[in-house]
Amino acid sequence: MRVDPYERAWMILTGLILAVLLAALGVSVYGMGIQLPGDVGQVDPQAVAASAPFDRPGLREVGPKEYEAVLRASAWQFLPGEIRVPAGSRVTFVLTSTDVIHGFRIKGTTVNTMVVPGEISRVSYTFTEPGEYPFYCHEYCGIGHHTMAGRVTVE
Ligand code: CUA
């Protein structure tokens, strides 16, 4: 089959662009640890405070240098608002909202997820460097949205 040289050039260019985009996707997922949200679970938004694990918000050690941080987001605070872990810890954040849609972003990390009522969000990160990692709500959730923040302290 004869292919026009111009058409061949565009076919090659299209293939190259596709290859570059797929490589960028691969690097962001496997190289930079960016996680896509999945179906982690559901919780009755009316009964968050009575539903495990959200009945006991806070930090739990689940293994050597492995922690689980359970957070409740509500207008306009995260509970708990402060988390302390030793350097080198891998922390899995488990969140839900008790009212409206919130966001959860930890500055200087790849942690960035929506926090939706009725849905459970789960995202992990390894804190290798000691320091202060502020987190905040990045989804407009009302008049107090800008005050909805907290921090992870890595010691
Ligand atoms: Cu919660 Cu903005």
Side-chain angles (χ1 to χ4, degrees):
M1 189 178 76
R2 196 193 158 274
V3 179
D4 182 82
Y6 276 121
E7 190 166 2
R8 185 191 311 275
W10 282 113
M11 284 160 71
I12 291 169
L13 185 65
T14 305
L16 281 175
I17 290 170
L18 262 181
V20 167
L21 290 177
L22 284 173
L25 195 64
V27 167
S28 63
V29 171
Y30 297 107
M32 299 167 73
I34 290 171
Q35 301 157 63
L36 295 175
D39 185 8
V40 174
Q42 284 74 37
V43 58
D44 179 358
Q46 308 292 328
V48 169
S51 310
F54 301 103
D55 52 343
R56 291 189 306 136
L59 188 73
R60 266 181 286 288
E61 193 166 4
V62 293
K65 294 232 165 184
E66 288 256 2
Y67 293 87
E68 184 180 75
V70 175
L71 285 93
R72 293 204 310 238
S74 54
W76 293 283
Q77 63 171 353
F78 291 102
L79 185 73
E82 179 146 14
I83 291 163
R84 282 178 180 274
V85 290
S89 299
R90 181 153 185 89
V91 183
T92 298
F93 297 89
V94 184
L95 302 102
T96 196
S97 166
T98 61
D99 40 40
V100 297
I101 295 176
H102 299 280
F104 183 68
R105 163 113 175 85
I106 306 179
K107 198 177 170 199
T109 73
T110 55
V111 175
N112 183 348
T113 185
M114 300 300 296
V115 187
V116 179
E119 297 291 331
I120 297 172
S121 301
R122 181 187 296 266
V123 60
S124 299
Y125 188 77
T126 303
F127 293 90
T128 50
E129 294 292 319
E132 297 264 304
Y133 295 81
F135 58 77
Y136 49 86
C137 176
H138 61 58
E139 186 71 24
Y140 183 73
C141 54
I143 193 91
H145 161 70
H146 62 287
T147 66
M148 193 167 168
R151 70 170 167 265
V152 179
T153 303
V154 180
E155 301 169 314

